[in-house]
Amino acid sequence: MYIRQMFAQKPCVCSIEVFPPKKESSLAKMQDTLRRMAGLRPDFISVTCSAGGSGQAGVSTCRIARFIKNELGLEPLAHLTCMGADEAGLRQTLDELFASGIQNLLALRGDALPGLQAPPRLAHASDLMRFIRAGYGSFGLSGACYPEGHVESASLAADIDALRQKQEAGASHLVTQLFFDNLHYYRFVNRARKAGVGLPVSAGVMPIVSARQIERTVKLSSASLPPAFTKMISRWQNDEQGLFEAGIEYAVNQLRDLIEGGTDGVHLYAMNNAEVARRVFEGIADLLPTPKEGV
Ligand code: FAD
C-alpha cells in the first residue's frame, strides 16, 4: 500500500523508525524487535540507511524492509540517500528495492560529511526524487523536513522553498526531524501550508530515555530545548529508571498534544527499542483514530 493512501484513510497515521543492525550477527535480535513492534500495529515502519551510500554497510535497508513487508505483513518505508553514491549504485539499490516489492521510499540527500559528495546531477533530495520518478515511477516518495530549519539553510523560508520543490518533484508525504517543542512544529506546518506545501506531515518524536541518548542525540541535535525538557533532563539524568519513565512521559505528552492538535501523522524515533515503542503506543492508544467512515 502506498503511504499517501494511508493519509487518505486515517486522520492520524502512526509510524515507527528503525535502523538496520551494523552486524549480521545482530539480525535475529533486530527481527525480534520488529516482531514486537509489529504487534503494536503501526501503519508503517521506516528503515534508515547508513550515511555515505545506499545503506549497504552492515545489514542493508532493503533486507530489513523486505522482512517487514513479507514476514510481518506491514508496510515499510525504505530510506535512500544519494550523498556519497553514484547513479549506477543508486539504480542497483532501486532495482533491488523494486524486486523486493518495496513501494515507498524516503528520498534524502544525506548529510554533507567530509569526503562525501553528491552525484553531479543529484545535489538535492528533490533531484533524487526526479531521478527516481524518471526510472522507477511506481515508487511512492516521501521527503524529510525540518521544523526548526535544516542546519545548512539560510532561513526557514529557504527550507520551505526546498519543500515546495520536493512536492513538485513528486513527494507525497513529509517526515519531520525530531523536535522537543511542539510550537516549532505547529508554526512550521502553518508556514508550509501558507507557502503552498499541502503534503501530509508526520511529526517525528524521539523519547529520550537514557543518559547515552542525552550525550548523543540531545547534545548533537540542533533541536531547541524547552524549559520543561531541560528540567526533566537535569532532574533525572543520574537516575536510569527515573529518566526512562520521565522520557516516556515527556514523549507521550508531546504526541498527545500533536494528535489533539490535528497532526496528519506521528512518527516515533524509537531507537530500535521495542519496549519504548510499546510504552509510547500504550500512552496514546486512546487517541488513536479509527479509519474514516466507509473506508
Ligand atoms: P535536501 O532536501 O536536499 O536539503 C539539504 C539542504 O539543501 C537544506 O538546507 C535545503 O534547504 C537545501 N536545498 C534543498 N533543495 C534545494 C534546492 N533545490 N536549491 C537550493 N537549496 C536546496 N540521513 C541518512 O544518512 N540516512 C537516513 O536514513 C536518514 N533519514 C532521515 C529521516 C528523516 C525524517 C530526516 C529528517 C533526516 C534523515 N536523515 C538521514 C538526515 C538527512 O540525510 C540530512 O538531514 C541531510 O543533511 C539533508 O537531507 P535532505 O533530504 O533533507 O536534503
Side-chain angles (χ1 to χ4, degrees), residues 17 47-52 79 81 106-112 123-126 144-146 150 152-153 158-159 162 165-166 175-177 267 269:
E17 179 175 297
V47 189
T48 68
C49 65
S50 54
H79 297 206
T81 54
L106 178 58
L108 299 144
R109 184 200 67 180
D111 278 326
H124 303 292
S126 49
C145 62
Y146 305 84
H150 183 261
E152 291 167 37
S153 295
D159 229 31
Q165 301 203 35
K166 290 184 193 190
V175 187
T176 76
Q177 175 68 288
H267 187 69
Y269 293 107

Side-chain angles (χ1 to χ4, degrees), residues 38-50:
L40 305 171
R41 305 312 299 166
D43 294 298
F44 66 89
I45 298 184
S46 90
V47 189
T48 68
C49 65
S50 54

Side-chain angles (χ1 to χ4, degrees), residues 260-293:
E260 287 174 334
T263 182
D264 302 311
V266 288
H267 187 69
L268 182 65
Y269 293 107
M271 301 303 288
N272 288 6
N273 188 326
E275 181 57 13
V276 165
R278 187 189 70 76
R279 289 287 306 276
V280 169
F281 269 58
E282 199 176 76
I284 58 174
D286 60 311
L287 296 182
L288 290 186
T290 47
K292 280 179 191 161
E293 259 178 55

Side-chain angles (χ1 to χ4, degrees), residues 103-235:
Q103 285 177 273
N104 300 288
L105 302 180
L106 178 58
L108 299 144
R109 184 200 67 180
D111 278 326
L113 301 171
L116 288 187
Q117 283 197 324
R121 296 193 304 156
L122 309 180
H124 303 292
S126 49
D127 302 320
L128 176 63
M129 289 170 181
R130 275 187 213 96
F131 175 82
I132 297 171
R133 290 219 82 76
Y136 303 81
S138 66
F139 281 119
L141 296 179
S142 299
C145 62
Y146 305 84
E148 299 181 62
H150 183 261
V151 281
E152 291 167 37
S153 295
S155 64
L156 195 54
D159 229 31
I160 287 177
D161 200 49
L163 291 186
R164 236 190 347 245
Q165 301 203 35
K166 290 184 193 190
Q167 180 170 270
E168 282 163 21
S172 53
H173 161 231
L174 298 169
V175 187
T176 76
Q177 175 68 288
L178 64 90
F179 56 88
F180 299 110
D181 185 343
N182 289 358
L183 254 191
H184 290 292
Y185 172 82
Y186 292 125
R187 279 191 197 133
F188 163 76
V189 172
N190 198 19
R191 281 186 72 164
R193 298 292 183 244
K194 282 186 181 151
V197 179
L199 304 176
V201 181
S202 293
V205 167
M206 181 186 283
I208 299 299
V209 294
S210 72
R212 194 160 157 255
Q213 262 180 301
I214 300 175
E215 283 302 316
R216 283 202 172 177
T217 312
V218 178
K219 291 194 177 155
L220 289 180
S221 114
S222 50
S224 56
L225 309 178
F229 182 83
T230 46
K231 201 168 148 196
M232 185 266 290
I233 295 290
S234 55
R235 172 148 188 218

